[in-house]
Amino acid sequence: MPVVALIGAQWGDEGKGHLIDLLASQARLVVRYGGGNNAGHTVVNHLGTFKLHLVPSGIFDPQTVNIIGAGVVIDPEVLLGELKELEARGVSTARLFISERAHVIMPYHVQLDQLQEQDRGEGKIGTTGRGIGPAYADKMSRTGIRMADLLHEQTLLNRLRVVLEEKNRILTRLYGASPISLHDTYLRYLELGHQLGDHVTDTHAIVQRALEKDLPILLEGAQGALLDVDYGTYPYVTSSPPGAAGACQGAGIGPTRLNAVIGVAKAYATRVGAGPFPTEIDGPAADTLRQIGTPWAEVGTTTGRLRRVGWFDAVMARYAAQLNGVDTLAITKLDVLDTLPTIKVCTGYRLNDAQLEYPPATVAVLEQVEPIYEELPGWMTPTTGVRRFHELPEAAQAYVARLCQLVGARLGLVSVGPGRDQVITVAEIF
Ligand code: GDP
Ligand code: IMO
Ligand code: MG
């Protein structure tokens, strides 16, 4: 199966980076197709523990070419910092290419993201404050600055002059903030473009060549399907399409070329930031799911915020699978459930006297639904050392099988720990 998209099937942080790191050795190309440094992808392998925000998680495989596609929004300072750290730790970044069509997160995007959040007060989204929303908004308004613009002095100056006039009016008149200097910004971003210049190219040519040769290509998702700007829990979403359609658009690959879509889901559920979360829990069971004190504790990779936790929500996961054509499920963090005597799974929502099959579109309504739970027996046995599916405790096998049945996808991978060797392959991906 040459072209595989791996997407988050929940609200992000499902363990996508972990699985991409493993699968990258089977692919010739890994393309990160969307989002920006709101993402935090943790990779634990023989080289150490890495937290990637923009660099694709295939970077550790010396044979694999990594691409940051046109659908990504790039903060050049963050990307340079990440490249520097990787190089310092012995990871070559020579095979990383950045689409010249990718949009740039500028300082005013970050500032506006934070100011807008302050203004929202009670209704704040809980964004990562990295400028993601404003950068995508500018792209759609056709006032964005792209990577290619950083390499072309006159274009950068012309575009910045127009854009900054508008941004400075907003910053000073609406928010009472200081204006941003055209001169300083121009020089700074020209310099950043210069530093990244060797990586910036027409990635379309690389992707097309790989497609023509039927080389295995892995599309790396960021965020999760329930944060999708169209189909997620709007307005508590991110500003991009993190699913399979976004994969095609952001990587520049037509949908007819996609062979498989892997939906990654934790064996339970988490969410960072505000917004509806029907199966959210608190108390001792929540503490178990949070795994505080472990390196994989439910603390946001990007912002350090404590993640909200809850039971697996099959209504949401099935909805995510349907929207994205998920044919293969990867269940991560099964080991986190190892000590629980019983585990709940939400199989439906009740609203007044009705039973709902799909999540309602409106947040106010979604917040009123009552999850219908099925309770499954736990296995009370450590699974972190298990490497074959049939060696998992029977109750763990049954739990995972039930999740797949409810979601409507075959099982592909099960992860029982953060390490590269802690993934059980049930069905070959490539
Ligand atoms: P991503 O954004 O989807 O790449 O996921 P994150 O890296 O933000 O969050 C996933 C966290 O869970 C990271 O700390 C991973 O190291 C960790 N992790 C991934 N898979 C497993 C697993 O199977 N078991 C455990 N215990 N931790 C895992
Ligand atoms: P990865 O790739 C978890 C959430 C934020 C917030 C909402 C909007 O690591 O899975 P934004 O900054 O995008 O405007 O914030 O989306 N969010 C994520 N949550 N994992 C992510 O990425 C996320 N990226 C954005 O917490 O609720
Ligand atoms: Mg993450």
Side-chain angles (χ1 to χ4, degrees):
M1 296 235 223
V3 187
V4 175
L6 183 141
I7 69 160
Q10 294 164 319
W11 282 285
D13 301 329
E14 299 90 349
K16 299 176 293 293
H18 171 42
L19 299 181
I20 295 280
D21 171 60
L22 171 78
L23 296 173
S25 64
Q26 298 168 40
R28 289 290 288 278
L29 220 58
V30 172
V31 188
R32 168 78 191 270
Y33 60 78
N37 58 309
N38 46 351
H41 296 180
T42 313
V43 170
V44 181
N45 59 27
H46 59 293
L47 297 168
T49 299
F50 298 84
K51 294 190 182 298
L52 302 172
H53 302 284
L54 284 163
V55 173
S57 304
I59 198 75
F60 306 96
D61 187 89
Q63 310 298 326
T64 307
V65 169
N66 285 267
I67 289 178
I68 298 180
V72 178
V73 285
I74 300 174
D75 185 325
E77 307 246 23
V78 172
L79 180 54
L80 277 165
E82 222 170 296
L83 295 178
K84 210 186 268 174
E85 191 196 329
L86 285 167
E87 289 286 348
R89 294 178 66 186
V91 181
S92 169
T93 58
R95 294 162 80 88
L96 172 74
F97 299 98
I98 304 165
S99 169
E100 48 190 16
R101 293 181 170 86
H103 279 247
V104 181
I105 299 181
M106 300 295 289
Y108 44 83
H109 292 138
V110 180
Q111 207 177 339
L112 287 170
D113 189 2
Q114 293 165 5
L115 289 166
Q116 286 166 358
E117 275 286 88
Q118 274 170 32
D119 266 9
R120 286 184 189 119
E122 285 291 295
K124 77 175 194 288
I125 293 165
T127 73
T128 58
R130 302 298 194 266
I132 307 298
Y136 277 116
D138 273 4
K139 167 170 155 169
M140 292 308 178
S141 305
R142 295 155 297 183
T143 49
I145 291 184
R146 305 199 296 176
M147 289 306 292
D149 301 337
L150 303 187
L151 305 179
H152 197 275
E153 292 180 19
Q154 201 54 51
T155 307
L156 180 62
L157 187 61
N158 290 344
R159 289 198 63 78
L160 258 184
R161 183 175 285 126
V162 176
V163 175
L164 272 184
E165 210 177 292
E166 186 209 13
K167 299 299 173 195
N168 279 337
R169 245 182 289 147
I170 295 171
L171 283 171
T172 56
R173 293 192 201 170
L174 190 61
Y175 293 106
S178 308
I180 289 175
S181 150
L182 172 63
H183 179 258
D184 293 354
T185 310
Y186 167 67
L187 290 180
R188 179 74 194 134
Y189 280 77
L190 204 57
E191 170 58 23
L192 291 169
H194 180 71
Q195 289 184 39
L196 285 169
D198 286 348
H199 297 280
V200 179
T201 186
D202 183 2
T203 53
H204 174 71
I206 305 173
V207 172
Q208 278 310 304
R209 266 200 306 274
L211 284 172
E212 278 160 22
K213 292 184 187 162
D214 271 339
L215 297 178
I217 303 175
L218 189 54
L219 308 181
E220 174 175 353
Q223 290 76 54
L226 304 176
L227 289 172
D228 182 279
V229 68
D230 288 305
Y231 295 100
T233 47
Y234 194 89
Y236 299 96
V237 293
T238 191
S239 299
S240 64
C248 290
Q249 178 74 3
I253 292 179
T256 50
R257 297 305 305 267
L258 211 58
N259 300 100
V261 180
I262 307 176
V264 187
K266 284 177 187 171
Y268 49 102
T270 65
R271 174 163 204 169
V272 209
F277 185 178
T279 62
E280 184 170 17
I281 55 167
D282 233 326
D287 292 340
T288 307
L289 297 185
R290 274 202 190 98
Q291 302 271 300
I292 298 301
T294 66
W296 52 85
E298 292 298 358
V299 176
T301 311
T302 297
T303 56
R305 289 180 291 182
L306 206 63
R307 292 180 187 142
R308 300 157 65 195
V309 295
W311 301 116
F312 188 90
D313 186 337
V315 178
M316 286 286 182
R318 184 171 52 231
Y319 170 72
Q322 289 168 342
L323 283 166
N324 292 287
V326 168
D327 50 12
T328 306
L329 206 57
I331 300 288
T332 59
K333 304 193 93 165
L334 186 68
D335 56 296
V336 171
L337 307 181
D338 282 352
T339 57
L340 291 171
T342 57
I343 306 160
K344 286 185 181 176
V345 175
C346 166
T347 57
Y349 292 157
R350 196 173 290 116
L351 183 67
N352 305 322
D353 284 333
Q355 192 167 326
L356 305 183
E357 216 181 316
Y358 305 114
T362 311
V363 163
V365 181
L366 186 52
E367 273 167 348
Q368 284 169 27
V369 305
E370 208 183 300
I372 300 167
Y373 286 116
E374 178 175 302
E375 203 150 337
L376 284 91
W379 42 94
M380 311 280 280
T381 317
T383 57
T384 50
V386 177
R387 296 294 174 267
R388 288 167 211 265
F389 187 71
H390 69 264
E391 286 166 8
L392 282 170
E394 265 176 37
Q397 293 186 35
Y399 179 74
V400 170
R402 179 68 179 136
L403 299 191
C404 289
Q405 186 186 39
L406 287 167
V407 172
R410 69 165 185 167
L411 182 62
L413 305 165
V414 180
S415 170
V416 291
R420 193 189 267 183
D421 63 338
Q422 289 177 296
V423 181
I424 300 169
T425 302
V426 181
E428 290 302 328
I429 303 301
F430 284 103

